[in-house]
Structure formats: C-alpha cells, structure tokens
Amino acid sequence: MSLPHAILTALLEKPSSGLELTRRFDKSIGYFWSATHQQIYRELGKLERDGAIRALERQQATRGQKKEYEVLPAGRAELARWTAASQDPKPLRDTLLLRLRAAAVVGTDGIEADLNRHLALHRRQLAEYEEIERRDFPPGKGAMEDRLRHVVLRAGIDLETFWTQWLERTIEELGAPDASRDS
C-alpha cells in the first residue's frame, strides 16, 4: 500500500507528469522505495479514479503533451492518515543472507566473488549518499521539512555503512583458515 503514498508525497512536493515522477523516483524516493515506470502509471490511474489526484488543465492542448498531476484534498487527507498511523517494522528478507545460509549446506562456490561484488555496490551507494549529504544538507538545522529529508538520507547512509562493515567482516571471516581442519 506504500506506492500510492510515495506518489502522493512526490506530487505534494511538486505537481509532475508520470515521466517526471519516474525520474524523481530514480533520483530520490527510489533509493528507499523503488517503482517501475509501469507501476507508477498504473498507480496514477488508480489515484485519479479514486479522486486523490487530478490531471492539471493545460492552456493549449497539444498532441503528445504529458499530463501533469496534482493532489486533491482527499489525497492529502489519505496521506496524512497514513503518515499518522502506526506500523510495525517489516521482517528482513535478504537473498544474500539466505544464500549464505544455503552455502552452509551445499558449499561456498561463487559466494566470495558475490560478497565482494555486493561490497563494491554498497561502497558506491554509500559514497553517493555521502555526496548528496555534503551537497544538499550543510551543517546546521534547516526547516523541519529539510530535517525530515535529511534523517531519511541518514538512514540510507547508516544502512550502507552497516552493510559495508558487515560484508568486510564476513569476507575476512570466510577467508580465514578453517579451525576444524587444524585439529
């Protein structure tokens, strides 16, 4: 149920077309809530049918012009209701962790290379988040909206830091000699 709320959030920040939303998802919201172009367009249709958003009127109709959407009062109310509601944390579902558990039973062929690949990906994402923080969130307190955006970014930085450190320790531990063979 969170994709419609992500779209409402993005549209309240700035009325946009479906294509603009897709680009904005790729650059911001998509870091923590991804959606495909098709999913966004499908959800825009549902939100419009439900009376949560509407397409803005254009001064001149031209062929192929993108529809730009804005949030209606019903959409704002739904987003406010959802924001205020309590929600339990979601259980962690990570394929890499499951694959490591399976490797304990079937062997570790290919695991080390993939762990190193994951480490490189997480290091790259961490560097990107840190660059966004340096560029967009200088030291000092800003408006509440900016502080909320910053804490979301900090969550990404902290998660990438966790994964980077965990992968480094895991690679080191798996590369260590097997103590059971020494006895």
Side-chain angles (χ1 to χ4, degrees), residues 120-132 134 154 156-162 164-165:
L121 292 170
H122 285 288
R123 282 179 174 159
R124 193 168 33 245
Q125 189 65 64
L126 177 59
E128 187 174 336
Y129 285 164
E130 289 172 337
E131 176 56 32
I132 292 169
R134 276 189 294 281
R154 283 293 328 158
I157 290 170
D158 291 348
L159 284 169
E160 293 303 329
T161 300
F162 161 78
T164 300
Q165 291 172 351

Side-chain angles (χ1 to χ4, degrees), residues 1-8 25 33-36 39-40 43 47:
M1 177 89 162
S2 294
L3 179 56
H5 299 105
I7 290 171
L8 288 170
F25 263 70
W33 197 268
S34 63
T36 66
Q39 289 171 315
I40 290 171
E43 205 56 55
L47 288 166

Side-chain angles (χ1 to χ4, degrees), residues 11 17 22 42 82 110 121 143 172 178:
L11 289 175
S17 69
T22 300
R42 190 170 41 245
W82 180 76
L121 292 170
E172 182 180 329
D178 187 351

Side-chain angles (χ1 to χ4, degrees), residues 103-165:
V105 203
V106 297
T108 60
D109 287 348
I111 288 292
E112 186 176 348
D114 203 38
L115 288 169
N116 281 299
R117 185 180 70 81
H118 276 256
L119 178 57
L121 292 170
H122 285 288
R123 282 179 174 159
R124 193 168 33 245
Q125 189 65 64
L126 177 59
E128 187 174 336
Y129 285 164
E130 289 172 337
E131 176 56 32
I132 292 169
E133 184 177 44
R134 276 189 294 281
R135 182 190 69 219
D136 296 345
F137 300 99
K141 293 191 176 192
M144 180 58 75
E145 295 83 7
D146 289 334
R147 293 193 328 236
L148 289 168
R149 288 181 185 106
H150 190 200
V151 298
V152 171
L153 177 62
R154 283 293 328 158
I157 290 170
D158 291 348
L159 284 169
E160 293 303 329
T161 300
F162 161 78
W163 281 112
T164 300
Q165 291 172 351

Side-chain angles (χ1 to χ4, degrees), residues 31-80:
Y31 285 127
F32 55 90
W33 197 268
S34 63
T36 66
H37 188 77
Q38 294 84 2
Q39 289 171 315
I40 290 171
Y41 273 96
R42 190 170 41 245
E43 205 56 55
L44 283 170
K46 288 178 190 174
L47 288 166
E48 191 172 24
R49 280 191 305 278
D50 293 346
I53 65 171
R54 71 171 172 207
L56 293 171
E57 295 291 325
R58 295 285 185 183
Q59 272 83 6
Q60 284 184 310
T62 52
R63 185 178 151 101
Q65 193 170 22
K66 301 176 275 192
K67 271 191 202 179
E68 195 169 85
Y69 295 93
E70 71 175 349
V71 178
L72 296 171
R76 181 180 280 277
E78 168 53 23
L79 188 59

